[in-house]
Every structure is written in C-alpha cells, then in structure tokens.
Amino acid sequence: MSDDELIWRVAGGSGDGIDSTSQNFAKALMRSGLDVFTHRHYPSRIRGGHTYVEIRAAAHEVQSRGDGYNFLLSLGDSFARNPQEEAYYGNEEIKPLSENLDELREGGIIVYDEGLISEEDVEEVNLEERAEENDWHVFPMDLRGLAKEHGREVMRNTAGVGVTAALLDMDLEHIEDLMSDAMGGDILEANLEILHEAYDTVNEEYDFEHDLRAPTGEHDTEQALLSGSNAIAYGAIDGGCRFIAGYPMTPWTDVFTILSQNFPDMGGVSEQVEDEIAAAALAVGASHAGAKAMSGSSGGGFALMSEPLGLAEMTETPLVLVESMRAGPSTGMPTKPEQGDLEFVLYTSQGDSSRVVFAPGNIEEAYEQTRLAFEIAWDYQIPTIIIYDQKLSGENTNVDVEFFDREPEPGLGATMTEAELKEAAHDASGKFKRFNHEDAEDNVAPRSIPGQKGGRYLATGNEHSPVGHISEDPDNRVAQMTRRIEKLETIRETLDEEYDSNQTYFGDEDADYGIITWGSSQGAVEEAVERLNEQGHSVKGIGVSDMMPFAEREVTEFLESVDEAMVVEMNATAQFRGLIQKELGRFGDKMTSLLKYNGNPFEPAEVVEGYEVNLADDDREPTAQVRIEPAAGD
C-alpha cells in the first residue's frame, strides 16, 4: 500500500446499512477524481453478524484490494444475537471493532461509535495498549446519540461519514450531492444536519496529529461505479438477452436481480421459479422458441442444472449460463469467495460434454466476455458458461462510461430465415434436417425456430437422426458426436484468428519468471507483478479467461518463455494448474502453486511473498494463510 492512497473500512452488523453507506462513499470518492476499488465481507445471515466493506481510493489506477487498510469506521453490531462475552459466538456487538484490528496498518485511524461500544468493550480488546504500540489515532464518537438527536438511529452511518470526511480533510460537496440524489424532504434535511454536525464536531473538538488525508485526483472522462454483476448483466443485455429464469442463491442473485429490474423497460421476461432445474429448463425452452436466454446459479444450485445443461448440449440449443462460485463443498461458506468450481463447471453433465467456458478477471472482461458468450452460443449452437466468484460479483470499481458505448447485438446467429429454409435439406417426410452432419459448415447445422415455414423437426435429449428422431445407429452416433465435439476446435480457431485475445498480459514480456492466474485473482497478481519489477525482479504475468476451449497456444507460448512459473488461484486442490497440465501434457515440472482458500481473496503482498518463498533456498513458509504446492517431481 502506497502513502498516497486511502483504504477505508466501514464495519458493522449485517443489516446496519454498511453496503449502501460504503457504495455512496465510494461514489463520492470517485466523483472527486479518484480511482476506487471495493471489497465486501459479509456473513451468511440476514440480520446481525460482523460485516465490512473496504474502499481503496487513489489518484492512480487500483486493480485489487490493498494490503491491510488505514482507516476504520467501527459502528458496532446493532443486530448482534448476543452481546455477552461468554456466548457461543462471543460478544458479537463489538466484533466490528475487535475483529478488524489485526489488519489496521501502523499510524492508522480508528473511529468507533461509543453510543454502542462501551468503555468496558474497549478495555476488553486492549485498544489503548494496541493503539500505543501501533501509533493508531483513536476517535470515539457518539454517532448514535447524534443521529437520534436529529432524526433516527439508523442515520448513525451518515454521522460516521461526516466524521470520516472531517478527519480526512474532505469537502462535503460530493457526499451532499449523492444524498440529494437518493432522498428528499425531511429525511434529506435530517441527514444533512447530522452530516454537518458530525463534521463540525470533529473539527472543533480534535487536533489532527495524523498524516492521513484523502488523496486528490482528476478524471479525464465520465466514470461509473460498477460491480462484476453489473457488467455481466449489461453484457447480457447488449448481447441481446431478453429472457432470464432463476432462483435466488448467493452470490448469483445479483445478476438475476439486475436483469429482472431492467427487463420490463426493454420488453424482456424474467421468471423466478421453484428451483434451479426449472430455471435452466425454462431458459432452454425459451431459447428453443427463439429468444436469447440466460440462467445461472451458484454451487449447489448450479449442480441441479446439469441435466438441462446436457439437454442443451444434445439438442444444440444456444444458451448462456452463469456460475458464481462460492466456498464449498456443499453449502460451504455461501458468502465467501473461492475458485473451487472450475472442474465442476468444465465437466458436469452426462457423457462427453460440449460447452464453452469463459472466466473473466475484471469488470471490463466480465462485460466483454458475456457479450462474446452470447455471440459464440448462438453462432455455434452450444451452451456457453460464464464462471466467476463472489469477489468479482460484489466488488465495485470505476469504469470509463465510454467503454460501454457500443452497438447491441440482437441477432440469432446461425438461425435460418424462411427463404433459406426453403432451399435447405429436408427429409422425405418434409422435416427439416436440423442436425444434418453431412454438410454442416464449421460443424454447425443451422437451426430453425418454431413457427417458421419449412423448419419443422424433432428435438430430443436422446441421440437422434438428422431430423431429430431417436437413433441408436452406430454410424449416426459417431457422426453426430464427432460433429458436436469438433465445434470446440472450430471455436478455438475462431477465437485465435478473428477476436482480440481474452487473456490479459502484464509485466516485462522478456521476464524469465512467470505468474499465471485466472478469474478474479487477476488484479492482485497484476499489482504484485508490478511491485516485483519495481523491486528489480524479472517477472511477467498472464490472466487466463478461456477455460474451454482452452487457450492452448497462448499459455504454451507463455510457459515456454519462462524458466519457472507460479500458478495463483483460490482453491485447495490447484484445479487450474491441473487443467493446464491436462490440456498441454507438460510443464508440470515448471509450475508451482500458490493457493488460498480461507474465504478471503488474495492481497498483492501475499502474491509477492509467495514469489519470494518460491525462490528462497531455505524451508521458509509464507506468513499469510496460503499454501505453496511444489512443482511435479519436487
């Protein structure tokens, strides 16, 4: 973490408005000209339980959460199940203070709400002693009392933002503008009074001995604050999606909700159904009927979709699914990020699978690869999956608004017109040879949709003849299966030749050490590579998005160009490293793994340390909760 950045953490109880407070503060920082990046940590509970959101803000580009943080606003947990120290989960009321101290950097600032966190609580966590050891600057404020004086207790968050702004010497203009956009009348007036009184109280009662101030910056273009879920939803809309079916499950719910909110204004249809089997089956049916359709889930919910996914593969029905990973197995840790579903998504289904899988690594890639997923799915009549995780789903960062200034693509790909159907091959019965393997260009047999004249055929989950009748003929089976599988080879050639690469490269291209990652770990790895090169090391990195068909050529060239490589991913079994070795058949002796699976995403410093430990000749172990898996044969 550099000296010219703010990493502000607001902590409270789930249900205390921590998320909305942090989003508004992040927007205010963005509007002041700063780049921002948020990280969200919350429990698997509706009300109560320690939650926090971290905002990293700087005048330079920020690509991941930072290493620790330097400002804590602790509001306490007003929904705590039990405030007693001897309770099973301990005194939850003070966890927004007690559980955040280990990561607060030396010289940092603490503001806590003494309206809820008592002197006894402060003594319990040895705050005075720890503050002296770490040169922390502590500011107790009765935020609840201030909120009650002017309105309601729930407005304590506004008071906390006012205190923050005063201690960081921030102007209130952007915060006031956001409040005015979100509310009005007496509620707005009360919140503004609380904001200003908190701000003035700090300036009147405290001398600032700390050096931390809000950075200053300026944007050249208009910015928007978006999450990965926003980007996937907007990519789907611009890709032509107008039907979505789903069942709520964290963290997939965000994409489902955003599309459901937007579809009424654009003629789209959103259906919340009884379970994930129905959701995926409904999306298959909508696509068969001629709509660009989407569904998705997380973990166990996506497991239920394996049968409809297999149906889409067999009937060659274009479909986009999203799978938002969370820590498993089973229910696991529903609100914590992990990259443990890669093998599951690649291979779940019946028999030999034919699907495309993209794993975007940042907001921009989430948008672009979702659009690409719809294009590939409808051009090649194949299910396409976007795999991401809770980290990418919920983190917010600023994006240039002009990035989204593109034409939408509502077309249905390789779907024939009635004029084309008139000239197409038909069976003696008059049925359209929908699955004709004899003259399928690029292994794609153009489709018709119900209602088109001359487009009648059968669609079944059984192996079938060119017109869709059930067939167990060995020659037909080999021809149809080969055609479906070889679509992936055609798609790989198309991605390599006709599209910009989905892989992201960073660092010195002539470096002799490589770091490979995938998905949401990309930002932390990219920053770590930058730091290592600034320290005089020779390191480069690649973030891989093309999981199936695998980016064989690009990953091969990257690994051939380095002496050693470290694969960074958030799971316990090195799934991505295993995929590389499976697809390439070599490089096992060149790759080590840096693995993290404690429910928290990588910080750049952990990747830097992993690199240093890998190069060390001694038996040193990393200090962070990560694991290093040696190269094959070591």
Side-chain angles (χ1 to χ4, degrees):
M1 185 174 70
S2 63
D3 295 332
D4 60 346
E5 66 182 7
L6 167 70
I7 304 183
W8 181 79
R9 181 180 290 190
V10 54
S14 185
D16 273 330
I18 302 302
D19 191 46
S20 58
T21 299
S22 64
Q23 282 212 33
N24 285 331
F25 191 57
K27 287 179 183 176
L29 291 167
M30 179 188 73
R31 290 185 180 183
S32 73
L34 300 176
D35 274 31
V36 297
F37 191 100
T38 73
H39 164 63
R40 185 181 177 203
H41 176 284
Y42 59 104
S44 306
R45 283 157 55 174
I46 302 300
R47 293 282 190 184
H50 169 230
T51 181
Y52 70 78
V53 177
E54 212 171 74
I55 301 173
R56 185 182 183 193
H60 56 79
E61 183 181 6
V62 288
Q63 304 165 76
S64 75
R65 66 180 302 204
D67 304 324
Y69 67 102
N70 52 15
F71 192 119
L72 173 65
L73 172 59
S74 176
L75 299 174
D77 185 352
S78 65
F79 290 101
R81 289 179 177 176
N82 195 325
Q84 304 303 315
E85 185 179 356
E86 64 272 13
Y88 183 78
Y89 289 105
N91 184 353
E92 290 192 301
E93 202 169 66
I94 67 167
K95 283 188 176 182
L97 176 63
S98 62
E99 293 202 356
N100 287 296
L101 298 179
D102 289 344
E103 295 173 281
L104 181 62
R105 295 175 67 89
E106 187 175 336
I109 295 173
I110 299 174
V111 175
Y112 70 86
D113 186 356
E114 61 181 351
L116 180 64
I117 301 173
S118 67
E119 287 186 22
E120 290 79 10
D121 294 332
V122 172
E123 291 174 3
E124 181 183 322
V125 300
N126 298 317
L127 182 58
E128 184 176 349
E129 181 181 338
R130 296 188 67 178
E132 186 174 346
E133 290 175 354
N134 293 281
D135 191 28
W136 292 337
H137 304 273
V138 182
F139 299 92
M141 297 285 293
D142 185 4
L143 304 176
R144 276 164 177 72
L146 179 58
K148 287 180 180 179
E149 182 182 339
H150 291 275
R152 294 181 296 163
E153 184 179 323
V154 71
M155 298 176 183
R156 63 193 177 276
N157 296 15
T158 300
V161 171
V163 172
T164 297
L167 290 172
L168 294 174
D169 195 23
M170 287 179 61
D171 191 282
L172 294 177
E173 176 188 359
H174 297 294
I175 299 171
E176 292 171 334
D177 289 345
L178 284 162
M179 285 184 174
S180 299
D181 291 342
M183 60 187 81
D186 293 341
I187 298 296
L188 173 61
E189 185 176 340
N191 273 280
L192 289 174
E193 287 178 358
I194 292 169
L195 178 73
H196 281 276
E197 182 161 339
Y199 188 89
D200 294 339
T201 299
V202 171
N203 282 312
E204 291 167 4
E205 295 186 4
Y206 289 106
D207 293 324
F208 296 179
E209 299 176 357
H210 63 274
D211 298 325
L212 186 61
R213 298 291 185 272
T216 58
E218 185 177 355
H219 292 300
D220 296 328
T221 57
E222 184 181 358
Q223 302 290 301
L225 187 69
L226 299 176
S227 69
S229 295
N230 289 123
I232 290 171
Y234 301 156
I237 289 171
D238 286 353
C241 180
R242 292 299 181 269
F243 180 90
I244 189 167
Y247 185 84
M249 190 172 189
T250 303
W252 131 263
T253 306
D254 287 349
V255 169
F256 185 37
T257 301
I258 294 165
L259 283 170
S260 297
Q261 290 170 340
N262 281 276
F263 271 178
D265 296 331
M266 53 187 63
V269 175
S270 170
E271 290 288 341
Q272 179 175 321
V273 292
E274 65 271 23
D275 58 41
E276 289 82 359
I277 301 175
L282 217 61
V284 172
S287 176
H288 174 75
K292 277 192 165 179
M294 182 181 194
S295 186
S297 191
S298 302
F302 193 85
L304 297 177
M305 294 182 166
S306 62
E307 188 168 357
L309 174 59
L311 177 64
E313 290 175 330
M314 177 59 85
T315 59
E316 299 177 70
T317 303
L319 177 69
V320 173
L321 298 175
V322 297
E323 207 271 5
S324 188
M325 296 177 286
R326 61 193 207 176
S330 189
T331 309
M333 296 194 292
T335 62
K336 302 298 182 289
E338 196 165 283
Q339 296 176 302
D341 288 354
L342 179 60
E343 292 180 344
F344 167 55
V345 167
L346 290 173
Y347 309 119
T348 184
S349 189
Q350 311 79 32
D352 293 312
S353 299
S354 300
R355 81 281 302 262
V356 174
V357 180
F358 295 129
N362 56 39
I363 305 295
E364 292 89 348
E365 290 177 6
Y367 171 83
E368 290 178 332
Q369 290 171 25
T370 301
R371 287 196 61 156
L372 179 60
F374 277 91
E375 186 174 343
I376 293 294
W378 264 260
D379 281 351
Y380 291 91
Q381 299 163 26
I382 189 170
T384 303
I385 301 172
I386 301 292
I387 182 172
Y388 62 113
D389 58 35
Q390 183 268 347
K391 177 183 182 296
L392 182 59
S393 171
E395 66 192 17
N396 286 273
T397 190
N398 58 293
V399 181
D400 191 335
V401 170
E402 293 179 355
F403 173 80
F404 300 100
D405 188 14
R406 316 180 191 200
E407 290 297 319
E409 179 46 67
L412 294 179
T415 302
M416 303 188 83
T417 64
E418 288 192 352
E420 291 170 332
L421 281 168
K422 188 176 181 180
E423 304 298 324
H426 289 70
D427 187 73
S429 66
K431 292 189 179 75
F432 169 50
K433 289 188 176 182
R434 162 72 177 94
F435 307 104
N436 191 357
H437 53 76
E438 293 180 353
D439 57 358
E441 185 178 352
D442 292 334
N443 298 302
V444 178
R447 66 194 285 251
S448 64
I449 55 177
Q452 286 184 305
K453 186 177 181 180
R456 181 169 56 95
Y457 70 95
L458 299 176
T460 173
N462 292 78
E463 188 58 89
H464 41 259
S465 69
V467 297
H469 284 286
I470 295 173
S471 171
E472 295 181 352
D473 176 73
D475 293 337
N476 178 76
R477 166 64 173 177
V478 170
Q480 297 287 12
M481 193 69 193
T482 300
R483 182 179 61 80
R484 289 192 295 265
I485 289 178
E486 287 183 351
K487 283 184 186 181
L488 291 175
E489 296 179 16
T490 304
I491 292 169
R492 183 69 264 162
E493 291 173 2
T494 301
L495 289 172
D496 287 340
E497 295 172 5
E498 299 181 16
Y499 292 88
D500 292 335
S501 172
N502 285 326
Q503 284 53 254
T504 300
Y505 297 86
F506 34 90
D508 179 6
E509 64 178 23
D510 296 323
D512 50 22
Y513 191 98
I515 302 182
I516 309 176
T517 192
W518 69 283
S520 69
S521 297
Q522 180 175 297
V525 170
E526 187 168 355
E527 183 167 325
V529 168
E530 183 179 328
R531 290 189 197 178
L532 287 166
N533 283 309
E534 288 174 353
Q535 295 169 12
H537 300 282
S538 177
V539 185
K540 65 180 178 180
I542 181 174
V544 181
S545 291
D546 293 355
M547 299 292 134
M548 184 181 288
F550 190 66
E552 180 178 345
R553 176 182 57 80
E554 291 181 84
V555 176
T556 297
E557 290 175 355
F558 183 86
L559 284 168
E560 286 178 339
S561 71
V562 296
D563 298 329
E564 295 180 69
M566 182 171 70
V567 184
V568 178
E569 53 187 316
M570 287 190 292
N571 59 60
T573 55
Q575 293 183 27
F576 180 56
R577 174 180 160 185
L579 176 64
I580 296 173
Q581 291 179 226
K582 172 183 177 293
E583 291 289 337
L584 304 185
R586 54 200 177 109
F587 301 116
D589 60 347
K590 185 178 278 191
M591 294 184 292
T592 58
S593 288
L594 182 66
L595 307 171
K596 187 175 184 181
Y597 44 95
N598 67 353
N600 293 308
F602 278 102
E603 296 179 1
E606 293 171 334
V607 180
V608 170
E609 184 186 39
Y611 166 85
E612 293 170 343
V613 171
N614 263 317
L615 288 188
D617 293 329
D618 51 37
D619 295 327
R620 181 158 45 120
E621 293 290 332
T623 58
Q625 285 187 327
V626 298
R627 194 179 89 233
I628 292 179
E629 190 77 17
D634 284 1

